[in-house]
Amino acid sequence: MQHGPAVRRRKLGAELRALRTAAGLTSGEAAGLVGWHQSKVSRIETGTSGAKPDDVRLLLDAYGVADDRLRELLLVLAGSHDGDGRNHWWHAYRGELPPTYRDFISLESQASAMRTLETTVVPGLLQTREYARAVTGAAVEGLSEERLEALVEVRLARQDVLHAEPPLELSAVLDEAVLRREVGGPGVMSRQLEKLTAAAVLPHVRLQVLPFSAGAHIGVTGSFVIFSFARTSDLDVVVLDQLTSSVHLERKEDLEAYTEAFNSLRKRALSPEDSLEFIAGMTGGA
């Protein structure tokens, strides 16, 4: 997928089809206005193929769309620079990253908020270099030193979203197992916990620990991420990671179910303040 994940490609197509209909044009008439074959308009509208930002501008002009906010949203869907002008830096690593990982980074870079339950490892946005290296090396066996380093650099580059203007709003619930698992050894884990503590005091980061004492909970089935977008909730999506692929859930009922699950987990987890004390106790800082 050259111009973004399938979920956004389908949304873009639906929006463009609605705008064409509102303008009173057939797909053939729209194609004639921009100098294309009718089949190209159809492929874009059905999400079969992506649309480049320049293609979207042509269609919006043809449909007489003057709403600046709507135009910006649709250009973001097409893979244009986001509102802060950050370009798609991960394209430089295209040869190193599988399509599903590129899709995840694309969503992460353009989302306004991210809610995540992590049951096994520290979220990528909060990992130290050492921890990222240990996790990546364990998850993908047989990596050359060069490719391993490239993947670690990508993991660290992703963290820029937490320091952008405006930054990504991150709310993370971490199962206690995440903190207990000694990834990379005691020294690496100690420094990782220190980084979690430093990140947790940022105003746009909410970190909560779900202790073992909470017992069984709705998150035992696995980790998940919910991405939200400031311009429209229609783009919100749940991402479930699997061993060889990722699943994107965009139906309203799926979003509602995972949102309710996350809210339930937050209620059962320690408060942000108590979570910091919990981590401090593990690092000997209590």
Side-chain angles (χ1 to χ4, degrees):
M1 285 171 285
Q2 193 169 14
H3 302 291
V7 60
R8 292 185 294 116
R9 190 174 63 210
R10 289 194 297 271
K11 177 60 180 174
L12 173 62
E15 292 287 345
L16 290 173
R17 183 171 60 250
L19 290 170
R20 173 180 59 76
T21 300
L25 298 170
T26 66
S27 58
E29 290 169 337
L33 287 174
V34 296
W36 299 345
H37 192 280
Q38 185 271 342
S39 62
K40 179 173 180 177
V41 174
S42 295
R43 289 196 303 272
I44 289 174
E45 291 185 352
T46 59
T48 304
S49 64
K52 296 179 180 179
D54 286 345
D55 293 339
V56 173
R57 290 188 184 93
L58 284 175
L59 292 174
L60 294 178
D61 290 343
Y63 303 159
V65 178
D67 185 328
D68 289 337
R69 292 186 64 186
L70 178 58
R71 290 178 69 96
E72 181 182 8
L73 167 61
L74 297 183
L75 288 170
V76 166
L77 288 176
S80 179
H81 292 186
D82 62 17
D84 306 315
R86 297 192 301 272
N87 61 24
H88 296 171
W89 56 265
W90 57 92
H91 286 181
Y93 296 90
R94 182 176 297 277
E96 305 290 341
L97 307 178
T100 52
Y101 192 21
R102 296 201 304 267
D103 290 350
F104 185 90
I105 297 173
S106 177
L107 287 168
E108 185 179 72
S109 70
Q110 296 180 14
S112 59
M114 174 179 173
R115 288 164 285 176
T116 181
L117 165 69
E118 292 292 348
T119 60
T120 55
V121 297
V122 171
L125 295 183
L126 302 177
Q127 293 178 6
T128 65
R129 176 181 289 275
E130 296 169 299
Y131 186 99
R133 186 179 181 84
V135 165
T136 304
V140 189
E141 294 183 346
L143 285 175
S144 66
E145 183 67 22
E146 182 179 5
R147 183 149 190 255
L148 175 58
E149 187 59 29
L151 292 175
V152 171
E153 289 299 330
V154 169
R155 182 70 54 90
L156 298 178
R158 284 173 47 202
Q159 299 177 6
D160 286 348
V161 295
L162 294 178
H163 307 287
E165 185 55 48
L168 176 76
E169 297 283 339
L170 175 63
S171 181
V173 174
L174 308 185
D175 191 276
E176 184 177 340
V178 173
L179 309 178
R180 296 292 181 188
R181 181 171 289 104
E182 288 192 349
V183 174
V188 170
M189 201 61 208
S190 177
R191 289 183 287 275
Q192 177 60 70
L193 293 178
E194 290 174 359
K195 178 161 183 172
L196 283 178
T197 300
V201 300
L202 295 173
H204 53 281
V205 174
R206 181 185 178 94
L207 183 66
Q208 292 180 257
V209 174
L210 190 62
F212 290 148
S213 59
H217 53 77
I218 198 169
V220 295
T221 54
S223 303
F224 61 85
V225 173
I226 307 173
F227 287 116
S228 298
F229 298 82
R231 298 175 180 88
T232 173
S233 62
D234 290 344
L235 287 178
D236 290 1
V237 60
V238 177
V239 181
L240 308 177
D241 263 340
Q242 300 177 336
L243 183 60
T244 58
S245 64
S246 295
V247 176
H248 291 66
L249 305 177
E250 53 184 309
R251 298 187 308 163
K252 181 179 179 181
E253 50 265 47
D254 291 326
L255 288 164
E256 290 177 346
Y258 277 90
T259 297
E260 289 177 6
F262 189 77
N263 290 339
S264 173
L265 290 164
R266 283 182 53 179
K267 290 178 182 177
R268 299 192 64 173
L270 300 176
S271 69
E273 296 75 19
D274 289 344
S275 294
L276 277 175
E277 290 186 11
F278 187 93
I279 295 174
M282 294 181 64
T283 60

